[in-house]
Amino acid sequence: MKDEPVAKNTLTKLASAFIRKEPFGLVLIIAPWNYPLNLTLVPLVGALAAGNCVVLKPSEISKAAEKVLAEVLPQYLDQSCFAVVLGGPQETGQLLEHKFDYILFTGSPRVGRIVMTAAAKHLTPVTLELGGKNPCYVDDNCDPQTVANRVAWFRYFNAGQTCVAPDYILCSPETQERLLPALQSAIARFYGDDPQSSPNLGRIINQKQFQRLRALLGCGRVAIGGQSDESQRYIAPTVLVDVRETEPVMQEEIFGPILPIVNVRSLDEAIDFINRREKPLALYAFSNSSQVVNQMLDRTSSGSFGGNEGFIYMTLPSLPLGGVGNSGMGRYQGKFSFDTFSHHRSCLLSHAGLEKLNEIRYPPYTAWSQQLLSWALASRSCTLL
Amino acid sequence: MSGKGSKGAAEDPGSEPTLGMDPFEDTLRRLREAFSSGRTRPAEFRAEQLRGLGRFLQDNKQLLQDALAQDLHKSAFESDISELILCQNEVDLALGNLQAWMKDEPVAKNTLTKLASAFIRKEPFGLVLIIAPWNYPLNLTLVPLVGALAAGNCVVLKPSEISKAAEKVLAEVLPQYLDQSCFAVVLGGPQETGQLLEHKFDYILFTGSPRVGRIVMTAAAKHLTPVTLELGGKNPCYVDDNCDPQTVANRVAWFRYFNAGQTCVAPDYILCSPETQERLLPALQSAIARFYGDDPQSSPNLGRIINQKQFQRLRALLGCGRVAIGGQSDESQRYIAPTVLVDVRETEPVMQEEIFGPILPIVNVRSLDEAIDFINRREKPLALYAFSNSSQVVNQMLDRTSSGSFGGNEGFIYMTLPSLPLGGVGNSGMGRYQGKFSFDTFSHHRSCLLSHAGLEKLNEIRYPPYTAWSQQLLSWALASRSCTLL
């Protein structure tokens, strides 16, 4: 909350110059269903710390979490400054007609556009945490089991319903051949021979998502998994191969426990493939060669980047969470949340007196005063003082 | 449609754009291709662009001063202190700090990531659009440009068609100093700008009115393009009873009438008690006479209104309240005298729109509290000023209001400080720039974590199936309270 003092120049040496953090006012947080507590409460922490009043709109799709947030959470906060509002797309549209002083939205790019358009009517600044297809490049030079462990864990966690999960693999056919048995092995190790009975594998949030994902199982060819159980909204940890770029599984964000493998013949081809598409929220590269990892990092763009790792960086408050391009704008987490939900006000407090010092800036100007003022203003003069 | 930049219908004002013909398509595609090729990434390329911009400013100083004199009747000196020197400062600052700004920023790690490399990487967004206004046509075009170039973007500049002389120099001379595969100037009025905005940009910085700001943000929303909007408002200037009237009058008058009042951060109206008003008026009269002489119209230090439309708008405002000082106007020169209005009602036009001219209304309030209420009932302004001998009063005003920026016993001199960002809040805008803030605004901050390809044994703990022990250990390692033990 502290004022941040800033450097001054010749003309302002005797003043007090600083940046003051102020709350925006009324903040709206619209949260999704996949991590219904994390993606609601972590932004809330920042908004509250920054001194705002907050309206929370949890997802109506994660019904149980919504209930707890609506009924229990307000009891712990000052309800004159905090409210939970409920509803579906229609109610949210109505809510967005109102003026807010800041909106943080987590969800799809399609709805992100709707939110930003509504915000534009009131000149409300926004942070949009959206999504995309997060590429996962696997180099020929790697240990397949290590890669398979790491990729599988991050792909199938929460039944794949994670905005920063690896969405698809890019690798050569040779590496694919080494990866498949390793992925099979990792899946069996993590979830047992009957993954449906594992306590560590999630379920799909609702029928609509389940049906959508089940349809994707028809793309390419099932190399691992492929089973589903409608009564439980269960989809087995699945790997698809022989997938074409035009198939639905490569056209939309998967958001489920399905991992397609797309073949490329080189790092360059992988980079071109990635750069032809929308900038993703996350990008992953696995290689024993740090040169390869750095090439991928240098020649692409994404919200965030993981080398030989999945989204473990989400546990680091020192690294902000945010997208770029179609995957979003703005960022939060840790101090970045506080800064996101604060207006940074530039302040300069001068002396009420000492008017003699100001004389030089008033017209009419003499040649001498012009020269002095120009000199004082030019940054090159600062080094002499 | 070939040649320097893409001129759209501005080059042939009599014709309508042909249906289906997009004057910007080729230019934008060319710039995108250049960006994709990686041209703008190396520090040396960016430094060369910045040096080019510096040479543009130095080689063409006379030309630029003449353009500003033509557009706004600005004296060479005022052009220097409000535009040219500030632009040069920005170029110098960017050149001096480019390597430091571009560097990956390492960040703190936790138990789980101790052996990894964690940092924030600054990346250009890609294709940046800068839409600039007419009131400081060089400053408000080139200062953002410095940031966009330093950050490694390809840039499309859309200078204001209203400041015609400056527009000409920017369109015809500036591109010669920059790599034109990565930079273009596009011209046109509202219609062409609307067409331009249908295209996808990776970042847009717009300086102008709130009304057009909404249009820009709505257009940007279609492409999920992030924006910085530098808008405007009515900047209140509170004058406490406890003050030296002449000091206050000097400072307020200078900042109000500079550039004939056409400054987005100028004090727009005064709030003070009737008693203070009585002390201020002769002091303002005195300051005006001192600065501009007994015949301000002949002073070389007083600007002119940019065009007829603005002039007519301002002349109409002279009818509000009662003219206490000034009030004269001359249509042939688009001259309006430094004016102070009193007995102004809140409902009159002069208190309903941003004035943007050399007219200063005084509105009476009976206390600091009443002034604060008055201010907080209205849209958040771009700037807010408070004059008082009491720092307590100044701090009260600061603490209980909000605005883009704040000046205590001072006008917008903070604009000369690159360490203080320039940005609005609420109706006065969003985002900020100037100095390093420009570089950060035009960069995507990418969170990066590079782990070892090996050391898989250390990861074993996080994989299911979990034992009670591994669950406890992982939870402990994750909880921030554990960090202090390591």
Side-chain angles (χ1 to χ4, degrees):
Chain A
M1 283 176 66
K2 256 186 163 163
D3 292 340
E4 277 179 41
V6 300
K8 297 174 287 191
N9 62 13
T10 322
L11 291 174
T12 51
K13 268 269 173 284
L14 300 176
S16 169
F18 55 92
I19 296 175
R20 154 94 31 121
K21 325 300 173 55
E22 299 179 340
F24 279 108
L26 189 53
V27 167
L28 172 63
I29 295 171
I30 303 178
W33 51 261
N34 58 331
Y35 290 80
L37 299 180
N38 180 333
L39 300 180
T40 310
L41 301 181
V42 169
L44 179 61
V45 167
L48 292 174
N52 297 284
C53 283
V54 185
V55 174
L56 216 59
K57 165 63 189 78
S59 172
E60 72 284 8
I61 291 175
S62 42
K63 292 190 186 352
E66 185 198 39
K67 195 171 176 354
V68 179
L69 290 170
E71 293 176 9
V72 184
L73 174 59
Q75 298 169 33
Y76 289 79
L77 300 175
D78 184 326
Q79 294 188 49
S80 67
C81 304
F82 172 80
V84 178
V85 298
L86 307 182
Q90 191 179 355
E91 289 77 14
T92 308
Q94 259 185 307
L95 185 63
L96 285 168
E97 282 171 21
H98 293 270
K99 174 174 173 163
F100 292 92
D101 301 304
Y102 203 97
I103 299 175
L104 188 146
F105 167 80
T106 307
S108 71
R110 185 188 69 82
V111 182
R113 283 181 178 80
I114 294 171
V115 171
M116 188 171 172
T117 303
K121 291 187 179 60
H122 297 290
L123 288 171
T124 300
V126 301
T127 284
L128 305 175
E129 302 277 327
L130 309 176
K133 293 184 73 60
N134 305 323
C136 182
Y137 172 71
V138 181
D139 195 35
D140 289 345
N141 178 9
C142 74
D143 172 53
Q145 194 59 60
T146 299
V147 173
N149 290 348
R150 295 178 190 185
V151 174
W153 193 81
F154 286 101
R155 164 77 285 187
Y156 301 118
F157 188 88
N158 203 32
Q161 297 161 116
T162 308
C163 46
V164 287
D167 185 278
Y168 64 96
I169 286 181
L170 283 168
C171 68
S172 67
E174 297 74 38
T175 295
Q176 178 178 307
E177 287 316 300
R178 293 156 70 220
L179 261 184
L180 285 173
L183 284 165
Q184 182 84 273
S185 175
I187 289 168
R189 171 187 167 179
F190 296 166
Y191 311 112
D193 293 317
D194 177 28
Q196 194 169 356
S197 61
S198 163
N200 296 309
L201 193 57
R203 294 294 182 265
I204 306 308
I205 184 76
N206 63 14
Q207 272 299 322
K208 178 179 163 188
Q209 294 297 325
F210 173 82
Q211 298 298 345
R212 179 184 67 79
L213 286 164
R214 195 160 68 170
L216 295 183
L217 293 169
C219 298
R221 175 172 63 80
V222 172
I224 300 172
Q227 302 87 356
S228 61
D229 179 346
E230 187 165 338
S231 67
Q232 284 198 9
R233 299 192 305 278
Y234 164 79
I235 294 194
T238 298
V239 178
L240 301 175
V241 296
D242 301 339
V243 165
R244 283 188 318 279
E245 213 180 322
T246 48
E247 295 188 81
V249 78
M250 284 308 292
Q251 292 294 315
E252 59 186 74
E253 185 173 355
I254 294 169
F255 227 65
I258 299 169
L259 183 62
I261 301 182
V262 174
N263 292 140
V264 288
R265 285 158 301 186
S266 65
L267 174 64
D268 283 344
E269 198 180 316
I271 289 173
D272 284 344
F273 185 95
I274 289 168
N275 287 341
R276 277 203 316 269
R277 306 164 78 87
E278 296 287 6
K279 292 176 189 173
L281 189 55
L283 207 157
Y284 301 101
F286 287 81
S287 175
N288 287 332
S289 157
S290 67
Q291 218 185 32
V292 167
V293 170
N294 277 291
Q295 277 269 304
M296 184 56 82
L297 171 60
D298 291 348
R299 293 164 59 191
T300 60
S301 189
S302 60
S304 51
F305 181 90
N308 290 313
E309 191 53 279
F311 52 81
I312 195 83
Y313 56 76
M314 301 238 346
T315 64
L316 271 186
S318 55
L319 279 181
L321 187 61
V324 64
N326 221 48
S327 56
M329 59 182 74
R331 56 200 190 155
Y332 74 103
Q333 198 161 261
K335 178 173 192 280
F336 302 99
S337 296
F338 182 91
D339 287 340
T340 284
F341 289 115
S342 300
H343 166 53
H344 288 58
R345 190 180 191 187
S346 292
C347 303
L348 192 81
L349 306 190
S350 273
H351 283 265
L354 301 177
E355 183 62 353
K356 278 253 160 275
L357 293 176
N358 281 343
E359 299 283 307
I360 189 183
R361 61 163 97 152
Y362 300 138
Y365 303 108
T366 62
W368 177 84
S369 69
Q370 285 188 36
Q371 223 172 12
L372 190 61
L373 202 51
S374 299
W375 172 85
L377 203 51
S379 53
R380 293 161 187 179
S381 73
C382 287
T383 51
L384 300 174
L385 287 160
Chain B
M1 289 298 144
S2 61
K4 300 197 201 41
S6 184
K7 303 198 173 161
E11 208 168 0
D12 188 2
S15 72
E16 293 298 317
T18 306
L19 202 65
M21 185 171 79
D22 183 333
F24 308 113
E25 187 78 51
D26 287 343
T27 302
L28 298 182
R29 190 185 325 113
R30 178 166 57 80
L31 260 49
R32 278 213 177 278
E33 277 164 13
F35 183 77
S36 299
S37 76
R39 200 112 199 245
T40 59
R41 308 303 290 263
E44 188 41 47
F45 176 86
R46 307 183 197 187
E48 187 47 45
Q49 300 310 296
L50 293 171
R51 284 192 290 266
L53 191 49
R55 283 194 305 275
F56 164 74
L57 291 167
Q58 283 148 34
D59 291 354
N60 299 284
K61 189 165 164 175
Q62 187 65 57
L63 190 64
L64 292 166
Q65 287 169 344
D66 290 347
L68 292 171
Q70 205 178 320
D71 284 334
L72 292 152
H73 196 260
K74 246 187 195 163
S75 71
F77 177 61
E78 295 194 332
S79 297
D80 284 351
I81 61 172
S82 67
E83 306 222 41
L84 302 180
I85 293 178
L86 300 182
C87 292
Q88 186 65 55
N89 285 353
E90 282 282 321
V91 170
D92 293 343
L93 188 73
L95 277 171
N97 291 282
L98 188 60
Q99 299 278 3
W101 292 351
M102 281 176 70
K103 257 185 163 162
D104 291 338
E105 276 180 38
V107 299
K109 296 176 287 192
N110 61 13
T111 321
L112 293 173
T113 51
K114 269 269 173 284
L115 300 176
S117 169
F119 55 91
I120 295 175
R121 153 94 33 119
K122 323 304 172 52
E123 300 180 341
F125 280 107
L127 189 54
V128 167
L129 170 64
I130 296 172
I131 302 177
W134 50 261
N135 58 331
Y136 291 83
L138 298 179
N139 181 334
L140 301 180
T141 310
L142 300 180
V143 169
L145 179 60
V146 168
L149 292 174
N153 297 284
C154 284
V155 184
V156 174
L157 216 59
K158 163 65 189 79
S160 172
E161 73 285 8
I162 291 175
S163 41
K164 291 191 186 351
E167 185 198 39
K168 195 165 174 352
V169 180
L170 290 169
E172 293 177 9
V173 184
L174 174 58
Q176 298 170 32
Y177 288 79
L178 300 174
D179 185 326
Q180 294 190 50
S181 68
C182 303
F183 172 80
V185 178
V186 298
L187 306 183
Q191 189 178 356
E192 290 78 19
T193 307
Q195 257 187 306
L196 185 62
L197 284 168
E198 282 170 19
H199 292 271
K200 175 174 172 163
F201 292 92
D202 301 304
Y203 203 97
I204 298 175
L205 188 147
F206 167 79
T207 307
S209 71
R211 185 189 68 85
V212 182
R214 283 181 180 79
I215 294 171
V216 172
M217 188 172 173
T218 302
K222 292 187 178 64
H223 297 289
L224 288 171
T225 299
V227 300
T228 285
L229 305 175
E230 301 277 329
L231 308 177
K234 292 184 74 60
N235 305 322
C237 181
Y238 173 71
V239 180
D240 196 37
D241 290 344
N242 177 9
C243 76
D244 171 54
Q246 193 57 61
T247 298
V248 173
N250 290 347
R251 296 180 189 185
V252 173
W254 193 79
F255 286 102
R256 165 75 287 187
Y257 302 117
F258 189 87
N259 203 32
Q262 296 161 117
T263 307
C264 45
V265 287
D268 185 280
Y269 64 96
I270 286 181
L271 283 168
C272 68
S273 67
E275 297 74 39
T276 295
Q277 176 177 309
E278 287 316 300
R279 295 158 67 217
L280 261 184
L281 283 173
L284 283 166
Q285 182 83 273
S286 174
I288 290 169
R290 171 189 168 178
F291 295 166
Y292 310 112
D294 293 317
D295 177 28
Q297 193 168 0
S298 59
S299 164
N301 297 308
L302 193 57
R304 296 291 182 267
I305 307 308
I306 185 73
N307 63 13
Q308 273 299 324
K309 178 178 164 191
Q310 294 297 325
F311 173 82
Q312 298 298 344
R313 180 184 66 80
L314 286 164
R315 195 159 68 170
L317 295 182
L318 293 169
C320 299
R322 176 171 63 80
V323 173
I325 301 172
Q328 301 89 355
S329 61
D330 180 346
E331 189 165 337
S332 66
Q333 285 199 9
R334 297 192 308 279
Y335 164 78
I336 294 193
T339 297
V340 177
L341 301 175
V342 296
D343 301 338
V344 164
R345 284 190 314 280
E346 213 181 323
T347 49
E348 295 188 82
V350 78
M351 284 307 294
Q352 291 295 316
E353 60 186 74
E354 186 173 356
I355 294 168
F356 229 65
I359 298 170
L360 182 62
I362 301 183
V363 173
N364 291 140
V365 288
R366 285 157 304 185
S367 65
L368 175 64
D369 284 343
E370 198 180 315
I372 289 173
D373 284 342
F374 185 95
I375 290 168
N376 287 341
R377 277 203 314 268
R378 307 165 77 90
E379 296 287 5
K380 292 176 189 173
L382 189 53
L384 207 156
Y385 301 103
F387 287 82
S388 175
N389 287 331
S390 157
S391 66
Q392 220 185 29
V393 166
V394 170
N395 277 292
Q396 278 269 306
M397 185 56 82
L398 171 59
D399 290 346
R400 293 164 58 191
T401 60
S402 189
S403 60
S405 52
F406 181 91
N409 291 312
E410 192 53 280
F412 51 80
I413 195 81
Y414 56 76
M415 301 238 346
T416 65
L417 269 186
S419 56
L420 279 181
L422 187 62
V425 65
N427 221 48
S428 55
M430 59 182 74
R432 56 199 190 156
Y433 74 102
Q434 198 161 263
K436 179 173 191 284
F437 302 98
S438 296
F439 182 89
D440 286 339
T441 285
F442 289 115
S443 299
H444 166 53
H445 288 58
R446 190 181 192 187
S447 294
C448 301
L449 192 82
L450 306 191
S451 273
H452 283 265
L455 301 178
E456 183 61 354
K457 278 254 161 274
L458 292 177
N459 281 343
E460 299 284 307
I461 190 183
R462 62 163 96 152
Y463 299 136
Y466 303 109
T467 62
W469 178 84
S470 69
Q471 285 188 34
Q472 221 171 15
L473 190 60
L474 201 51
S475 300
W476 171 87
L478 202 52
S480 51
R481 294 160 189 180
S482 72
C483 286
T484 51
L485 300 175
L486 287 160

